[in-house]
Amino acid sequence: MARVPAVELERIKRDVPVERLVAARGVSLRRHGKDLIGLCPFHDDTEPSLVISPAKNLWHCLGACQTGGSVIDWVMRAEGVSFRHAVELLRTGVAATETAPIAPVKHATTQKLPSAVDLGAEGTALLGQVVDFYSETLLESPDALDYLRSRGIGQRELLDRFRLGYGNRTLGLRMPKRGGQKGNAVRNRLQEVGILRRSGHEHFNGSVVVPVFGPGGEVVEMYGRKVTAHLRKGTPKHLYLPGPHRGVWNLGALRSSREVILCESLLDGLTFWAAGYRHVTSAYGIQGFTAEHLEAFQAYGTQRVLIAYDRDDAGEAAAKQLAPRLQDAGIECWRIQFPRGMDANEYALKVAPASKSLGLAIRKAAWMGSGKAPAKGPMAMPASVQETVVPEISAPEISSASSEPEPEPVSTPAPEPEAVPEPGESCPEAPVASPLPAAPARPVVPAEIDGDQVVIRLGDRRYRVRGLGKNLSYEVLKINLLAGRTCAGQDEGYHVDTFDLYSARHRAAFVRLAAEEMGVEEGVVRGDLGRVLLKLEELQDAQIRAALVPETEAPVEIPEGEREEALELLRDPRLLDRVLEDFARCGVVGEETNKLMGYLAAVSRKTDEPLAVIIRSSSAAGKTSLMEAILAFMPEEERVQYSAMTGQSLFYMGETDLAHKILAI
């Protein structure tokens, strides 16, 4: 059973007055110094032996019981329930805020927790009610929320959108007792749908739960991921409802986009969604791409699938096995290639921010082949799909103030069909992968740029940004932002502040104050700020690329005399000796072999397969001096030198940033 957070236990023990619970049992209390005393209801008491200490909020029986404790111990004894059941009773009786009135626990014959499910519900309706209960439980479970945050998928928008939940074994406490007709009936139905096992235990106990919805919004599948690190040997971390997999997760993505990212697991799919790539769905493991997935792809006219399976041996094999199946259905396939051994979630966490790292992985996807059958557009839909247009799953999207529809992602044209070679002609090379598989398109936000000042107008609101040019890191977006509103040519108020736009706390404060000054709803300013953020990220990308990759300069024209002199040097049989002599004139003596090896590696930058050199020696042996001497012989514009760098940093460099240059570390 998932533990109750210590802070929650302390809150219950502090906020629920024990004397109120005692009075609810019909016990009359009278003052005795600082304490209250009365007849103990748990044994035949003729002299007051029950002592209540309001200052400590504790009780104790000095008579035959010889027991006592906190309010939780009282409910356990008075109601005859377990510790967890007592906590749930008190949670139900305690208001959500500390200042709200507290309802007393009633007599055992009438005290019941509210039922989590309708006792007459069956099938998908029953599953839907369980999902609702698990969703409420998740928001009260710090351990589960911390787990989701650690995986980068703990945003409230995501939790509400996909109705994520948590099973903590309290579902059974919200049903009639075992043995009774109603209790047995509802438990039998929960076993039939797979929520309870034959033993009576919750199937998803200790798991974050991700439901999968059908075309009509009904629950057709549920996935559970254990959040506890220390599990008994043999306990599976991944759970589904018993029986064959059903449904397609995030079915709305297939309706809104002809290109779909296909992940191996639901948590990977949630990772893409949280990073802004909403055209994503998921299989149920490496062998979990079902006939229903393929049928949905065909029904909604999917033209391109980006396979984002894990980059391990099993994931690679599954991707290669899946691609021909999709191609036979006329669907073009690409392979998103994470670093070896990583999955989408791990990659997004290690290479932050996820929106940029996953976007780069999408743009560098490898082409696996086009559809073998001609694309036929939307095919005839099955009857179940014809009856109901696929809804946006569950809770509506949290939208900005604008009601403009989100544009469909722009797809990159597929490679041209291969032409059959004429006799005597060589076979054409295989198509090259498109460098830009479609990433989610963003609404066009016009901006007026004047030096370091950016002005963005959204309706009657105007946002002036200063200081963007100082932000040359993807980790910070500190700007000076002025928000103002104009109505009928008159200023209606403004607010200005300097803050980090990536800080949720700073944004919330700005939204509140700006909305108050401009006289508009906070939701409008919040939506505007989201558009401003996306536009500034776009401008920031451009200025960072400009800073890292200087514009291509015009070719250098070599005077005829210098050209002949250079060619003479290259033809000289003593070329290597002359190179060593130049090193000696520069003050670098000895290590002739090392100097020549380094020099040859440096000049090989002009070839298609340049050499690489690692200089190894003991500390203070002159490694840096040798490297700097070699670099001094090379043109400054063709040297890229860092004191240190990680492999992850290479993901932020374009494909040609280091072409024919020397990278020295």
Side-chain angles (χ1 to χ4, degrees):
M1 179 185 293
R3 66 180 179 85
V4 181
V7 65
E8 179 70 2
L9 294 178
E10 291 302 318
R11 187 179 75 87
I12 291 173
K13 293 176 182 179
R14 180 186 69 246
D15 292 349
V16 183
V18 67
E19 63 266 29
R20 190 176 297 185
L21 301 182
V22 174
R25 299 289 299 183
V27 177
S28 297
L29 299 173
R30 61 184 175 84
R31 180 67 58 182
H32 183 76
K34 295 182 179 181
D35 299 330
L36 301 171
I37 61 173
L39 299 177
C40 180
F42 304 135
H43 71 277
D44 188 10
D45 197 7
T46 57
E47 295 291 334
S49 60
L50 179 65
V51 179
I52 308 296
S53 301
K56 298 180 180 179
N57 207 30
L58 298 174
W59 64 277
H60 189 78
C61 177
L62 302 176
C65 296
Q66 289 294 311
T67 187
S70 68
V71 290
I72 299 175
D73 300 293
W74 175 270
V75 174
M76 290 172 62
R77 184 68 183 267
E79 303 294 342
V81 296
S82 65
F83 174 85
R84 186 55 185 267
H85 198 159
V87 171
E88 291 300 313
L89 288 172
L90 290 167
R91 273 180 166 177
T92 305
V94 178
T97 61
E98 297 181 4
T99 57
I102 300 170
V105 176
K106 300 178 182 178
H107 193 274
T109 57
T110 59
Q111 174 62 28
K112 292 181 181 179
L113 287 167
S115 177
V117 297
D118 185 347
L119 300 183
E122 297 183 4
T124 57
L126 186 60
L127 285 175
Q129 293 175 13
V130 172
V131 166
D132 290 340
F133 175 72
Y134 281 166
S135 297
E136 295 174 3
T137 304
L138 173 64
L139 300 179
E140 300 172 355
S141 305
D143 287 353
L145 291 173
D146 288 345
Y147 172 80
L148 290 173
R149 293 188 192 104
S150 72
R151 302 294 295 267
I153 51 176
Q155 302 89 336
R156 183 59 186 267
E157 179 188 4
L158 181 147
L159 304 184
D160 293 341
R161 173 71 171 78
F162 295 104
R163 289 167 62 185
L164 267 62
Y166 182 56
N168 64 353
R169 204 175 147 189
T170 60
L171 180 64
L173 305 180
R174 301 298 187 98
M175 292 186 289
K177 292 183 178 180
R178 298 174 184 272
Q181 182 177 358
K182 292 183 178 179
N184 288 341
V186 69
R187 283 176 170 80
N188 288 338
R189 288 197 294 273
L190 287 170
Q191 286 183 15
E192 290 174 2
V193 297
I195 295 299
L196 294 183
R197 298 175 181 172
R198 292 185 179 276
S199 62
H201 294 95
E202 285 184 51
H203 183 58
F204 294 110
N205 176 40
S207 303
V208 166
V209 179
V210 183
V212 177
F213 301 92
E218 72 280 8
V219 179
V220 296
E221 177 65 281
M222 294 171 68
Y223 162 74
R225 174 60 164 86
K226 296 286 187 183
V227 302
T228 305
H230 306 290
L231 297 171
R232 286 182 298 180
K233 187 176 181 180
T235 302
K237 292 183 178 180
H238 307 275
L239 301 168
Y240 293 93
L241 288 176
H245 297 301
R246 294 185 57 206
V248 178
W249 177 78
N250 196 21
L251 189 59
L254 276 62
R255 183 191 64 181
S256 62
S257 175
R258 293 294 177 261
E259 175 181 280
V260 177
I261 301 170
L262 175 65
C263 295
E264 179 179 321
S265 74
L266 291 172
L267 294 189
D268 287 342
L270 290 168
T271 301
F272 272 100
W273 197 93
Y277 301 94
R278 306 296 168 88
H279 59 309
V280 61
T281 188
S282 173
Y284 304 114
I286 55 175
Q287 299 300 325
F289 184 83
T290 66
E292 193 168 352
H293 281 103
L294 184 58
E295 180 182 324
F297 284 175
Q298 293 175 309
Y300 292 103
T302 300
Q303 298 174 0
R304 174 184 297 178
V305 171
L306 309 179
I307 302 175
Y309 283 12
D310 299 357
R311 191 80 190 281
D312 53 18
D313 292 341
E316 292 283 27
K320 291 178 180 178
Q321 183 180 7
L322 174 62
R325 186 178 173 189
L326 293 173
Q327 291 163 14
D328 287 342
I331 299 173
E332 183 184 13
C333 294
W334 297 71
R335 176 71 166 110
I336 295 180
Q337 297 178 316
F338 306 111
R340 188 68 185 172
M342 285 190 181
D343 58 27
N345 184 258
E346 183 182 5
Y347 174 63
L349 292 175
K350 289 188 175 181
V351 188
S355 60
K356 297 187 183 298
S357 60
L358 289 176
L360 185 61
I362 291 173
R363 290 191 293 273
K364 291 182 177 291
W367 188 67
M368 300 183 73
S370 59
K372 297 179 181 177
K376 300 178 181 179
M379 299 178 64
M381 297 186 181
S384 61
V385 181
Q386 291 175 359
E387 294 172 3
T388 307
V389 177
V390 180
E392 291 294 334
I393 305 301
S394 179
E397 285 274 8
I398 299 176
S399 61
S400 64
S402 172
S403 60
E404 299 175 6
E406 182 176 345
E408 181 172 318
V410 180
S411 294
T412 307
E416 293 293 330
E418 296 182 16
V420 178
E422 296 293 333
E425 292 183 351
S426 60
C427 293
E429 296 182 357
V432 179
S434 168
L436 288 173
R442 295 174 175 172
V444 177
V445 178
E448 304 167 14
I449 303 175
D450 182 10
D452 192 38
Q453 178 172 292
V454 180
V455 176
I456 298 173
R457 302 180 189 274
L458 300 171
D460 61 352
R461 284 97 54 205
R462 174 179 176 271
Y463 296 89
R464 187 203 68 197
V465 180
R466 290 176 176 171
L468 180 63
K470 298 178 181 179
N471 292 269
L472 294 177
S473 167
Y474 286 126
E475 305 300 323
V476 178
L477 193 56
K478 189 172 183 179
I479 58 170
N480 175 273
L481 179 60
L482 182 146
R485 180 167 173 256
T486 303
C487 185
Q490 299 294 323
D491 290 338
E492 294 291 331
Y494 68 91
H495 175 66
V496 62
D497 195 3
T498 299
F499 64 102
D500 184 358
L501 200 54
Y502 282 153
S503 169
R505 180 169 57 86
H506 292 173
R507 289 199 308 272
F510 185 89
V511 166
R512 185 179 67 256
L513 296 174
E516 181 179 346
E517 292 292 341
M518 293 192 295
V520 297
E521 295 291 334
E522 290 188 12
V524 174
V525 181
R526 188 179 300 110
D528 287 351
L529 207 58
R531 291 189 170 195
V532 170
L533 171 60
L534 295 179
K535 185 61 179 181
L536 294 183
E537 282 188 333
E538 178 184 324
L539 298 175
Q540 185 189 33
D541 281 341
Q543 73 180 22
I544 289 178
R545 284 197 300 269
L548 292 177
V549 186
E551 296 182 2
T552 305
E553 298 180 357
V556 178
E557 294 293 337
I558 303 177
E560 188 63 28
E562 293 183 7
R563 179 182 178 83
E564 289 300 324
E565 186 179 351
L567 291 174
E568 180 185 354
L569 172 65
L570 292 175
R571 299 189 188 104
D572 191 342
R574 296 184 62 256
L575 175 60
L576 296 182
D577 293 332
R578 291 179 61 175
V579 170
L580 291 176
E581 291 170 1
D582 289 339
F583 271 111
R585 279 196 294 269
C586 292
V588 183
V589 296
E591 300 189 71
E592 275 74 9
T593 302
N594 292 340
K595 288 185 292 189
L596 287 177
M597 285 295 297
Y599 185 86
L600 289 174
V603 297
S604 72
R605 71 188 183 279
K606 295 296 187 181
T607 66
D608 292 333
E609 297 182 0
L611 302 175
V613 170
I614 298 176
I615 304 175
R616 300 182 60 183
S617 70
S618 59
S619 179
K623 297 186 294 294
T624 303
S625 298
L626 176 60
M627 181 180 73
E628 291 180 346
I630 295 170
L631 293 176
F633 279 76
M634 306 300 150
E636 182 178 358
E637 65 273 12
E638 296 188 5
R639 305 193 310 249
V640 179
Q641 190 168 359
Y642 298 108
S643 58
M645 69 185 305
T646 66
Q648 295 174 359
S649 62
L650 294 174
F651 287 105
Y652 292 106
M653 293 186 175
E655 292 183 350
T656 60
D657 288 1
L658 298 177
H660 301 303
K661 294 184 180 179
I662 304 169
L663 175 61
I665 304 172

